Amino acid sequence: AQKVTQAQTEISVVEKEDVTLDCVYETRDTTYYLFWYKQPPSGELVFLIRRNSFDEQNEISGRYSWNFQKSTSSFNFTITASQVVDSAVYFCALSEANSNYQLIWGAGTKLIIKP
Amino acid sequence: EAQVTQNPRYLITVTGKKLTVTCSQNMNHEYMSWYRQDPGLGLRQIYYSMNVEVTDKGDVPEGYKVSRKEKRNFPLILESPSPNQTSLYFCASSYKGYTEAFFGQGTRLTVV
């Protein structure tokens, strides 16, 4: 069973539009962590955010915001006023205490921002 | 500069010829991992290590070996590579398993 689902394989928007990337996870652990990573066309993996299961506060960092909802097992990522430089593959990942904190990754969402 | 260094970046090899991909980190991190990335599958963990001399299988360990004799190094060994191991490989380190992971630049391996 897929533990981290990113249902959107590819999203294409025009610059300045807002876009939300969905992430749904599955766990029976009470202690777990959720992450978002970005992989730009150059290929490196860049950490964006980490959230633990005890902290449901949403977070905003500039144009980026994250909505963590335990009730729906979702950890969605919104980019406001998207820019061409936001074009990348975005991965959501889950780390569970009972699995030695192994990172389990979603398949990724390719985001294309058109000028 | 804090970093994870993988070598080589690109490698083309033939089936059955043993190879090692090196990974070194300079952040004194306890936790290190190897992943492979294939189109449409995201990253899949091959092996991980929670500390020196402690290694464990990830989701796709078949055909791979690792060792963790020193904290900074975590080499990935393919004893007898096969074409289905053609992939993009990433090494990562983190202070603990649940903290931010730092990734190497990746090794693109082609087995012919």
Side-chain angles (χ1 to χ4, degrees), chain A residues 33 35 37 39 42-47 50 89 91 95 99-108, chain B residues 31 35 37 40-45 48 50 56-59 88 90 97-101 103 105:
Chain A
Y33 295 80
F35 299 80
Y37 284 86
Q39 187 175 41
S42 49
E44 73 271 24
L45 283 152
V46 179
F47 167 81
R50 179 189 77 155
V89 179
F91 291 99
S95 173
S99 301
N100 289 333
Y101 297 110
Q102 294 176 74
L103 267 179
I104 305 160
W105 297 74
Chain B
Y31 201 103
Y35 298 91
Q37 183 178 13
L41 295 177
L43 279 80
R44 293 179 293 166
Q45 193 177 56
Y48 67 100
M50 296 174 74
D56 249 310
K57 294 178 181 179
D59 297 321
L88 177 59
F90 285 99
Y98 52 83
T99 58
E100 171 192 354
F103 286 83
Q105 290 186 289

Side-chain angles (χ1 to χ4, degrees), chain B residues 16-35:
Chain B
K17 185 177 179 183
K18 180 179 177 180
L19 67 92
T20 299
V21 184
T22 63
C23 174
S24 182
Q25 51 95 2
N26 63 1
M27 295 167 277
N28 202 35
H29 284 166
E30 290 183 357
Y31 201 103
M32 295 186 76
S33 303
W34 275 103
Y35 298 91

